[in-house]
């Protein structure tokens, strides 16, 4: 059965609460755009494309709020700014909000704007799944036919409208009969790999093994890994790609072991306004995410922590960026620009 992290039902946005997986499958029904902003911050929903789609629906709820104000356009714009601040790194958040704002600007009245925003959000969800499936087909053509494929974080149905980006490529390859052994990094500190990717792959019946992040070098050195594939939260115009913390280390390791390193992401994740990755804002999250695990203290109370949630992999370490329109290969700046058209 298809995993659906985001649903619109009875004028409410329903989000599968990813904080409670894999123990419980519970949807939260949200009717207030501020509650959606909080849910994005708290990682009820996470993953760049899923955050973008969620924000598109949140703009419908923001419109419900704005319609009751004297100047609905002004109220919608300020609600959009609140939503935009929820998480800084994933560009899909700002991308979806800006699209919705531009759409509302062209509407005559609040009722018309609400209907247009809802139709656009629903279309975005459908389009995302179709784009992921296309990405899967392109990805299968550039990955090796057999061997170990290592992935990091969660880039599956839970991180998108459905199907997934990097995990979508893995899904497409397995469906096409590729002889792949899948390796999933657990992805400290939030454990997107252990809690979410493992849950999805098990549900899909795709064989895999879970490893601690620090095992990646050993797995590469001992010949277990033939390719690495990850997602992205924001890709600069030159191909530098921000993704879950630990991705850069994987790319450096892959380079040392001469293993191809791929990124799979929709073109909406490419920020063509950013020339290179040095401008990407890296979110720093709460210290307790590192100090604690599963509600248990893992470090002495009050210990100083650094918790960057993302890092930037330089374009020169990336063999290809797999998008819904094809695969950009080196030089990535030109490759991405050509795909954008
Ligand atoms: O902090 P998260 O869980 O939102 O980070 C998610 C990632 O880094 C994903 O790899 C990225 O968003 C791509 S999801 C298709």
């Amino acid at each position: 059965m298809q995993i659906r992290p985001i649903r619109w039902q009875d004028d409410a946005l329903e989000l599968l609460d990813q904080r409670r997986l894999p123990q419980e499958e519970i949807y939260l029904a949200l009717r207030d755009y501020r509650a959606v902003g909080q849910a994005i911050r708290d990682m009820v929903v996470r993953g760049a494309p899923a955050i973008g789609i969620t924000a598109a629906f949140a703009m419908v709820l923001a419109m419900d709020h704005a319609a009751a104000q004297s100047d609905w356009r002004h109220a919608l714009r300020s609600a959009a700014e609140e939503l935009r601040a929820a998480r800084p790194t994933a560009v899909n958040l700002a991308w979806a909000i800006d699209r919705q704002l531009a759409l509302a600007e062209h509407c005559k009245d609040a009722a018309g704007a609400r209907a247009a925003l809802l139709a656009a959000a629903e279309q975005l969800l459908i389009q995302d799944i179709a784009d992921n499936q296309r990405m899967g087909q392109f990805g299968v053509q550039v990955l090796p036919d057999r061997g170990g494929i290592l992935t990091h974080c969660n880039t599956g149905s839970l991180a998108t409208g459905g199907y997934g980006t990097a995990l979508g490529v893995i899904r497409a390859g397995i469906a096409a009969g590729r002889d792949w052994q899948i390796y999933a990094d657990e992805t400290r500190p939030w454990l997107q790999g252990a809690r979410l990717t493992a849950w999805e792959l098990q549900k899909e019946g795709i064989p895999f093994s879970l490893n601690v992040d620090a095992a990646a070098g050993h797995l590469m050195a001992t010949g277990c890994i033939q390719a690495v594939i990850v997602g992205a939260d924001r890709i600069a115009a030159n191909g530098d790609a921000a993704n879950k913390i630990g991705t850069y280390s994987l790319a450096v390791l892959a380079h040392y072991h001469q293993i191809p390193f791929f990124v799979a992401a929709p073109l909406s994740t490419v920020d063509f306004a950013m020339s290179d990755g040095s401008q990407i804002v890296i979110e720093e999250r709460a210290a307790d995410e590192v100090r604690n695990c599963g509600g248990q203290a893992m470090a002495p109370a009050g210990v100083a922590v650094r918790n960057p949630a993302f890092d930037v992999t330089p374009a020169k370490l990336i063999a290809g960026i797999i998008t819904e329109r094809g695969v950009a290969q080196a030089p990535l700046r030109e490759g991405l620009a050509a795909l954008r058209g």
Side-chain angles (χ1 to χ4, degrees):
M1 211 178 69
Q2 209 189 333
I3 299 163
R4 296 190 56 203
I6 305 162
R7 306 189 301 213
W8 180 264
Q9 230 152 267
D10 302 328
D11 281 336
L13 177 61
E14 296 189 348
L15 298 175
L16 179 57
D17 191 343
Q18 300 191 26
R19 299 167 306 181
R20 301 167 88 141
L21 290 171
Q23 285 87 0
E24 290 175 305
E25 293 177 36
I26 291 174
Y27 281 86
L28 299 184
L30 306 174
R31 292 189 167 76
D32 169 35
Y33 79 91
R34 288 196 176 99
V36 181
Q38 194 59 46
I40 294 172
R41 260 189 294 276
D42 293 346
M43 314 244 286
V44 169
V45 62
R46 29 67 49 205
I51 291 172
I53 296 162
T54 299
F57 282 109
M59 288 292 285
V60 181
L61 299 174
M63 194 60 231
D64 288 340
H65 159 82
Q69 315 300 312
S70 54
D71 181 348
W72 68 265
R73 289 178 200 277
H74 179 263
L76 187 67
R77 279 194 293 267
S78 49
E81 292 324 303
E82 285 179 54
L83 285 168
R84 194 191 301 275
R87 289 190 79 189
T89 306
V91 70
N92 305 60
L93 174 64
W95 175 87
I97 289 170
D98 287 338
R99 269 172 64 123
Q100 293 289 61
L101 270 180
L103 185 62
E105 290 297 338
H106 290 101
C107 295
K108 277 206 306 283
D109 54 31
R114 192 207 192 258
L117 290 175
L118 180 55
E122 283 172 335
Q123 182 53 34
L124 191 61
L125 176 56
I126 293 167
Q127 189 62 46
D128 185 65
I129 299 171
D131 286 351
N132 290 341
Q133 286 166 343
R134 255 195 302 277
M135 224 179 282
Q137 296 311 315
F138 286 121
V140 166
Q141 291 164 32
V142 290
L143 261 69
D145 284 347
R146 58 183 58 80
I149 311 289
L150 176 67
T151 191
H152 191 65
C153 195
N154 171 266
T155 59
S157 294
L158 291 169
T160 60
Y163 200 74
T165 58
L167 210 61
V169 172
I170 288 174
R171 196 164 270 153
I174 297 295
R178 292 289 190 273
D179 182 15
W180 287 349
Q181 296 80 53
I182 309 305
Y183 292 82
D185 278 354
E186 64 174 356
T187 320
R188 276 281 291 154
W190 214 73
L191 299 175
Q192 287 93 333
R195 297 189 308 104
L196 309 178
T197 299
W199 180 77
E200 279 197 37
L201 290 175
Q202 216 170 47
K203 246 183 154 46
E204 292 276 329
I206 297 177
F208 70 100
S209 56
L210 181 66
N211 55 268
V212 298
D213 299 341
H218 171 76
L219 291 171
M220 290 184 195
T222 51
C224 297
I225 308 296
Q226 276 61 52
V228 179
I229 184 162
V230 299
D233 281 78
R234 188 183 296 245
I235 300 172
N238 72 338
D240 292 349
N243 190 49
K244 180 52 51 195
I245 192 75
T247 301
Y248 170 52
S249 320
L250 278 185
V252 172
L253 280 170
H255 180 72
Y256 180 78
H257 292 98
Q258 299 182 324
I259 293 167
F261 180 93
F262 291 95
V263 172
L267 283 166
S268 54
T269 300
V270 184
D271 184 348
F272 286 97
M274 251 181 207
S275 168
D276 65 63
S278 64
Q279 298 151 0
I280 299 176
V281 176
I282 300 294
E283 176 185 13
E284 288 257 357
R285 292 188 60 87
D288 277 347
E289 287 186 355
V290 176
R291 290 190 194 122
N292 305 338
C293 192
Q296 300 283 313
M298 293 288 141
V303 75
V305 161
R306 284 296 309 273
N307 187 16
F310 302 96
D311 55 29
V312 177
T313 297
K316 63 175 178 238
L317 298 181
I318 300 172
I321 298 182
I322 301 158
T323 77
E324 71 277 26
R325 293 209 195 142
V327 181
Q329 279 161 333
L332 290 176
R333 188 187 293 279
E334 285 73 11
L336 289 172
L339 289 176
R340 183 192 198 188

